Amino acid sequence: MAGGALEHRLATRDDLPALAALMDAAISELQKPFLNADEIASSRKIMGLDTQLIDDGTYFIVEQNGVIAGCGGWSRRATLYGGDRSPGRDAALIDPTTDPARVRAMYTHPDFTRRGVGRLILSLCEEAARAEGFSRVELMATMAGEPLYRACGYQPVERVSDDRGGTAVPLLRMMKPLQQT
């Protein structure tokens, strides 16, 4: 899959089948060094895409040569993480003057890791959140995602464990101030 520039666009509902396949591949492969099989199975139940992000126009797809390499977005809503099936979602709008924007549902296809896909998505999310008046962003990192987020300036806030999928999955809430331009 080498060669070709990374391009980005907003996701549409027509992309849902391809996004589901990418997310499944990412969870299956990229979590293996960090989670056991039961934790990965549980992760599938609590993670995934919240289609509200697509409807809000805040979910990006990164492609290389027409192949989806990764996806991720940001939100101006209260939910910090989880997909459509996840319990406890809250679609309430948050206040950019007091609340951090949320970076959500970041996934890179295993064939495209370490090629700048995640960094590109983070920069798109941060730029869009900044343009809407947010001065901070936060996210809930998987153990596989933590090194990227640290390298991009995110700082740990709180280690948590989510057992809503049956087996506890370790997660790390992280935050970053946005530089105003």
Side-chain angles (χ1 to χ4, degrees):
M1 294 289 160
L6 294 176
E7 298 178 353
H8 64 86
R9 63 179 174 85
L10 289 174
T12 69
R13 285 199 171 245
D14 290 341
D15 294 311
L16 288 175
L19 293 174
L22 183 149
M23 290 174 187
D24 182 61
I27 291 169
S28 295
E29 294 304 315
L30 302 180
Q31 295 291 348
K32 279 182 181 178
F34 303 93
L35 304 178
N36 65 41
D38 290 339
E39 291 168 329
I40 290 171
S42 186
S43 183
R44 287 182 199 292
K45 294 177 184 173
I46 61 173
M47 298 297 176
L49 178 60
D50 181 344
T51 51
Q52 183 71 58
L53 300 171
I54 291 175
D55 295 342
D56 285 347
T58 61
Y59 201 70
F60 300 100
I61 288 178
V62 171
E63 298 173 315
Q64 186 176 54
N65 299 324
V67 176
I68 298 178
C71 54
W74 73 280
S75 182
R76 59 181 77 86
R77 298 187 182 273
T79 298
L80 179 56
Y81 71 99
D84 284 346
R85 302 180 315 255
S86 302
R89 290 171 51 229
D90 184 352
L93 293 172
I94 55 178
D95 182 350
T97 63
T98 58
D99 299 313
R102 279 70 158 124
V103 171
R104 305 268 319 272
M106 297 243 334
Y107 295 92
T108 299
H109 191 281
D111 292 342
F112 290 90
T113 59
R114 306 205 51 83
R115 296 189 192 182
V117 173
R119 284 181 185 270
L120 175 57
I121 293 167
L122 283 174
S123 69
L124 294 167
C125 292
E126 291 168 7
E127 181 180 313
R130 186 181 305 107
E132 287 204 21
F134 287 93
S135 61
R136 298 174 293 142
V137 289
E138 74 174 333
L139 54 79
M140 189 64 79
T142 63
M143 297 303 95
E146 180 183 353
L148 168 68
Y149 303 132
R150 283 184 185 270
C152 291
Y154 286 78
Q155 296 299 313
V157 173
E158 171 187 27
R159 289 203 179 272
V160 299
S161 184
D162 188 331
D163 63 1
R164 294 176 297 165
T167 299
V169 176
L171 300 167
L172 178 62
R173 188 166 66 95
M174 303 181 82
M175 194 165 307
K176 177 182 178 179
L178 293 175
Q179 299 297 326
Q180 297 305 315
T181 55

